[in-house]
Amino acid sequence: MQRLDARDPGFAAAFAALVADKRDDDADVAGDVAAILRDVRARGDAAVHELTLRFDRVDLSATGSLIDADEIAAARVQVPAETLAALEFAAARIRAFHAGQRPTDRDATDDTGVRAGWRWSAVAAAGLYVPGGRASYPSSVLMNAIPAAVAGVERVVMVTPGPTPLVLAAAALAGVTEVHRIGGAQAVAALAYGTASIAPVDVVVGPGNAWVAEAKRQLYGTVGIDMVAGPSEIVVVSDHASNPDWVAIDLLSQAEHDPAAQSILITDDAGFGDAVAAAVEARLKTLATEAAARASWDAHGAIIVVETLADAVPLLDALAAEHVELMVDDPHVLFSRMRHAGSVFLGRHTPEAAGDYVGGPNHVLPTGRRARFASGLSVADFMKRTTFLECGPVGLRAIGPAAATLADAEGLPAHAASVRARL
Amino acid sequence: MQRLDARDPGFAAAFAALVADKRDDDADVAGDVAAILRDVRARGDAAVHELTLRFDRVDLSATGSLIDADEIAAARVQVPAETLAALEFAAARIRAFHAGQRPTDRDATDDTGVRAGWRWSAVAAAGLYVPGGRASYPSSVLMNAIPAAVAGVERVVMVTPGPTPLVLAAAALAGVTEVHRIGGAQAVAALAYGTASIAPVDVVVGPGNAWVAEAKRQLYGTVGIDMVAGPSEIVVVSDHASNPDWVAIDLLSQAEHDPAAQSILITDDAGFGDAVAAAVEARLKTLATEAAARASWDAHGAIIVVETLADAVPLLDALAAEHVELMVDDPHVLFSRMRHAGSVFLGRHTPEAAGDYVGGPNHVLPTGRRARFASGLSVADFMKRTTFLECGPVGLRAIGPAAATLADAEGLPAHAASVRARL
């Protein structure tokens, strides 16, 4: 963890280095992934099954990849009742929040008589990647699948190399219609290109390792994808009146995800910063996830002391963090002045972890300063907008001559003629 | 041009081949582009100037790339008054349409006392690529820059290797704040990474050749980008009552863009199809753009005869075309039944070319079947959504326990502790 003080002469350079801190996995897997995509495109299921045997040591040759409805139903029975109730509670809250995101259509006629607008419609099929192992989170299943269901997507296909009962139960709750026991770049390729046993989808979302992320990047354009996600991050802004232990555990709730995660405190009280640093040490020792959390905090953590909390605003905008907590009495003042962040948690009683599960807003958010231009996952990511125009003879007489003039200027005679033929 | 009849036994296979018709430029420039991006990232302006000298044969070493305000003002004077008036007319209509696209914020408190919602804000800076040569269209400057201006983007940077007076005049009209005389992958890299003379932007949009498209794809994640665009396409649906010449010239208005463009007629009257084919031949001979238009029509054009126009609907959805014209008496019936298209032109008096310039909807649209999942350019492409959550002590008591239960289930103890510490 490093300490920065905005009043120090070297602060600008040190803060710039913090902003530039590169935590993304930049393993060069582009060539390997391209080969896998070509193979799956050419040979379909046969390639997927061979790659699954090689990388995941699972033999699908007899069973195929589809997990049947009985197994999914059985998974639900294995989940403890309290956990299932919490999943259902979370799903209902996420569904309610996202229902408010359904975009609106427009159909308007202007004073020339020209009618124009747009109509939203859902994609026909969406694919959801769920990692295996430690990062196989049922909450991510809800956060990725529910917006698709709210959008009205008929077919939501989940792929995962290691389906846990909890993940399968979450999939059933969230409206997933089809689950395949595959992972890696080969699973993303199967979703995008389709195989004999998996019909192609239109959009692929969900987190994954470097191979999965690179496969999505290479397939962007063949299908739609969500933003490429990097390690998680949080910035907590707090005055001296917060409980240092609450701040410490919030910082660690990001750090425990991944040694590459980043947790930053910005405060106007150096003594409070020291108290938080001490609380972090105390809390670290209690965590089963201590190794990852300590690695993250040591390598990427920071405590920044500013003269006044208003000075935090430009720092927040430069960091454009995935998560920002504003632990002050009136968080709305700071919130109204900052601009770039994935999601903001207001007040001392809104730990980011509540938002990870049951707040309602999506926890799939832009990382690595991408909140400058990107948004969290939403219902619109599973929809598209078709615009329309209707001139009629009267409207075309009003607007057509200018179109023909511009077509002439651009050297496109058929464009001009298609308008003039009707005038 | 090929003729297909939906009543023929081989139709399904022939139509599938038409849908799979690959017209994208798939020149493999990934390695060349990656080298250019690395070079610009490492050496900034020096690399951009060297590459500009090599590829565009323009020496920027003395002048730099920035086009000054005097040259832009002078450009306006060189544009004929009628063209300038048409540009201004188009800009006003595009601005009015896009003003209706400003997304709305949400701020709601639910029955647990939890407050949540989202807030939209503009990106700080957007870059707009404008090709040189034949594809240097002032209308595209308007269509790309006006949504950014409507979104509230403070800095809109245009790059173009060959600025014409018309393009510079359009830039001034559309709210472009900065123009640089550079092109190719090096210009996209300069926008994304920034150089000493070009501050970095957050989003890069606009059409370009294979190098430009690949540079955008590789920089996706460093900046936001618009959809990778392929060759243009149109599907005209018409009954026998349309003027065959109008249909023919509309088909050619796409074909004249590019030998890789595609124009398709779907009709329920074989004789009408023949009349359109004859009209295409007659019109072709009159066009200055005959070479491109004829190459496109010969290689990719099609006339499809269906039993009834209702049978056109599944074909339209499979093609998911950039542009669809519905040249029938009541186009709304067909429009309500189809789902996938970039933009739809309703009725016999709405040539697609009117929409290219002055209709109001954006002419930057998904091509190559991407309308299955992608939308035309819009104001939202220059904005991002920040979600927020405010629990307060009462709300956290209502929703926190379920969050802690799920954190336990996911093996994330700091997540659970950050909630429980506050309960």
Side-chain angles (χ1 to χ4, degrees):
Chain A
M1 181 266 291
Q2 62 175 312
R3 292 167 189 264
L4 301 178
D5 191 313
R7 292 154 297 189
D8 287 348
F11 176 74
F15 182 72
L18 189 70
V19 168
D21 185 8
K22 177 94 177 57
R23 297 171 295 116
D24 282 355
D25 183 350
D26 52 2
D28 185 7
V29 297
D32 291 353
V33 167
I36 291 172
L37 302 192
R38 274 194 304 273
D39 194 20
V40 172
R41 190 173 201 178
R43 298 194 303 127
D45 285 329
V48 173
H49 294 178
E50 276 177 35
L51 292 160
T52 301
L53 187 60
R54 189 190 316 162
F55 295 127
D56 301 334
R57 307 194 184 280
V58 173
D59 185 356
L60 300 171
S61 59
T63 58
S65 60
L66 186 68
I67 296 181
D68 64 32
D70 289 353
E71 183 173 346
I72 295 172
R76 190 181 161 90
V77 178
Q78 292 175 58
V79 176
E82 192 196 358
T83 311
L84 199 62
L87 266 183
E88 283 169 348
F89 180 77
R93 289 190 57 85
I94 296 164
R95 202 174 286 121
F97 182 86
H98 287 77
Q101 288 184 334
R102 277 196 210 97
T104 50
D105 294 349
R106 188 180 172 94
D107 184 346
T109 301
D110 66 29
D111 54 12
T112 65
V114 171
R115 182 174 172 181
W118 59 81
R119 186 176 75 189
W120 287 90
S121 57
V123 303
L128 160 56
Y129 191 91
V130 177
R134 238 176 65 83
S136 181
Y137 296 138
S139 59
S140 292
V141 175
L142 302 184
M143 291 291 185
N144 280 278
I146 288 173
V150 170
V153 178
E154 292 96 342
R155 191 171 154 256
V156 181
V157 187
M158 185 169 102
V159 293
T160 180
T164 64
L166 208 50
V167 159
L168 291 178
L173 266 181
V176 169
T177 53
E178 195 178 320
V179 184
H180 291 270
R181 191 191 309 269
I182 54 177
Q186 59 273 20
V188 182
L191 288 171
Y193 294 133
T195 69
S197 69
I198 307 176
V201 303
D202 303 300
V203 170
V204 177
V205 300
N209 62 19
W211 278 260
V212 170
E214 178 62 21
K216 284 165 66 180
R217 189 195 301 269
Q218 290 188 18
L219 289 165
Y220 177 59
T222 300
V223 290
I225 64 170
D226 58 350
M227 178 53 55
V228 174
S232 197
E233 67 219 4
I234 191 169
V235 178
V236 180
V237 178
S238 180
D239 58 24
H240 69 279
S242 297
N243 183 332
D245 178 60
W246 295 7
V247 175
I249 194 67
D250 292 0
L251 295 169
L252 291 173
S253 74
Q254 289 307 303
E256 74 175 342
H257 272 297
D258 184 348
Q262 182 164 56
S263 304
I264 297 174
L265 168 65
I266 303 179
T267 181
D268 58 351
D269 184 318
F272 180 77
D274 293 341
V276 170
V280 165
E281 286 308 314
R283 278 284 188 179
L284 265 173
K285 296 187 184 78
T286 71
L287 295 177
T289 50
E290 180 184 356
R294 188 178 291 279
S296 159
W297 182 242
D298 285 354
H300 305 294
I303 294 177
I304 302 175
V305 179
V306 289
E307 179 83 36
T308 73
L309 287 184
D311 297 337
V313 172
L315 307 185
L316 288 170
D317 280 341
L319 289 164
E322 183 188 16
H323 306 108
V324 173
E325 287 185 2
L326 300 177
M327 291 184 63
V328 295
D329 278 339
D330 185 358
H332 293 274
V333 174
L334 276 174
F335 184 47
S336 68
R337 295 172 67 179
M338 62 181 288
R339 177 155 157 195
H340 307 310
S343 198
V344 178
F345 301 84
L346 300 162
R348 305 190 209 272
H349 282 82
T350 313
E352 186 275 318
D356 277 343
Y357 297 107
V358 295
N362 210 287
H363 80 196
V364 179
L365 294 165
T367 58
R369 301 187 65 233
R370 297 185 183 92
R372 291 173 293 124
F373 56 83
S375 308
L377 196 68
S378 79
V379 170
D381 290 305
F382 299 96
M383 303 186 78
K384 65 273 187 329
R385 191 184 46 243
T386 298
T387 50
F388 62 86
L389 181 68
E390 182 169 14
C391 293
V394 173
L396 192 65
R397 274 194 297 273
I399 71 170
T405 297
L406 291 171
D408 288 343
E410 292 188 352
L412 294 170
H415 282 65
S418 76
V419 175
R420 290 199 177 109
R422 289 162 163 100
L423 292 180
Chain B
M1 183 267 292
Q2 61 176 313
R3 292 167 190 264
L4 302 178
D5 191 310
R7 292 155 299 191
D8 287 347
F11 176 74
F15 181 72
L18 188 70
V19 169
D21 186 7
K22 179 89 177 60
R23 298 171 294 114
D24 282 354
D25 184 351
D26 52 4
D28 185 6
V29 296
D32 291 354
V33 167
I36 290 171
L37 302 192
R38 274 194 304 272
D39 194 20
V40 172
R41 191 173 200 180
R43 297 195 302 127
D45 285 331
V48 172
H49 294 178
E50 275 178 37
L51 291 160
T52 300
L53 187 59
R54 189 191 314 162
F55 295 127
D56 300 335
R57 304 190 186 285
V58 173
D59 185 355
L60 300 172
S61 58
T63 59
S65 60
L66 186 69
I67 297 181
D68 65 32
D70 290 353
E71 182 172 345
I72 296 172
R76 191 181 160 91
V77 178
Q78 293 176 56
V79 176
E82 191 194 1
T83 309
L84 200 60
L87 266 183
E88 283 169 348
F89 180 78
R93 290 192 56 86
I94 296 164
R95 202 174 287 121
F97 182 86
H98 287 77
Q101 289 184 333
R102 278 196 210 98
T104 49
D105 294 348
R106 186 180 174 94
D107 184 345
T109 302
D110 65 29
D111 53 13
T112 65
V114 171
R115 182 174 173 181
W118 59 81
R119 186 177 75 187
W120 287 90
S121 58
V123 304
L128 160 56
Y129 191 91
V130 177
R134 236 176 65 82
S136 182
Y137 296 138
S139 59
S140 290
V141 175
L142 302 184
M143 291 290 185
N144 280 278
I146 288 174
V150 170
V153 178
E154 291 97 343
R155 185 169 158 257
V156 181
V157 187
M158 186 169 102
V159 293
T160 180
T164 64
L166 207 49
V167 159
L168 291 178
L173 264 181
V176 169
T177 52
E178 192 179 324
V179 184
H180 291 270
R181 191 191 312 267
I182 55 176
Q186 60 274 19
V188 181
L191 289 171
Y193 295 133
T195 69
S197 69
I198 306 176
V201 304
D202 302 300
V203 171
V204 177
V205 300
N209 62 18
W211 278 260
V212 169
E214 178 62 21
K216 284 167 65 180
R217 189 193 299 269
Q218 291 188 18
L219 289 164
Y220 175 59
T222 301
V223 291
I225 64 170
D226 58 349
M227 180 51 56
V228 174
S232 197
E233 65 220 5
I234 191 170
V235 179
V236 180
V237 179
S238 181
D239 59 23
H240 69 279
S242 297
N243 183 331
D245 177 61
W246 294 7
V247 175
I249 194 67
D250 291 0
L251 294 170
L252 292 172
S253 74
Q254 288 307 303
E256 75 176 341
H257 272 298
D258 184 346
Q262 181 164 57
S263 305
I264 297 175
L265 168 65
I266 303 178
T267 180
D268 59 353
D269 185 317
F272 179 78
D274 293 340
V276 169
V280 165
E281 285 308 315
R283 278 284 189 177
L284 266 172
K285 297 188 183 77
T286 70
L287 295 177
T289 50
E290 180 184 357
R294 188 178 289 279
S296 159
W297 181 242
D298 286 354
H300 305 293
I303 294 177
I304 303 175
V305 179
V306 289
E307 180 81 37
T308 73
L309 287 184
D311 298 336
V313 172
L315 308 185
L316 289 170
D317 280 341
L319 290 163
E322 183 187 16
H323 306 108
V324 173
E325 287 186 4
L326 300 177
M327 292 185 60
V328 295
D329 279 337
D330 184 357
H332 293 274
V333 174
L334 276 175
F335 183 48
S336 68
R337 295 173 65 180
M338 63 181 289
R339 180 156 156 194
H340 307 310
S343 199
V344 179
F345 303 84
L346 300 162
R348 303 188 209 275
H349 283 81
T350 313
E352 187 276 318
D356 276 343
Y357 298 106
V358 295
N362 210 288
H363 80 195
V364 180
L365 294 165
T367 59
R369 302 189 62 236
R370 295 185 185 91
R372 291 173 294 124
F373 57 83
S375 308
L377 195 68
S378 80
V379 170
D381 290 305
F382 299 96
M383 304 185 79
K384 67 272 183 335
R385 190 183 48 242
T386 298
T387 50
F388 62 87
L389 181 68
E390 182 170 16
C391 294
V394 173
L396 191 66
R397 275 195 295 274
I399 71 169
T405 297
L406 291 171
D408 288 341
E410 292 187 351
L412 293 170
H415 283 64
S418 77
V419 174
R420 290 202 177 106
R422 291 162 162 102
L423 291 181

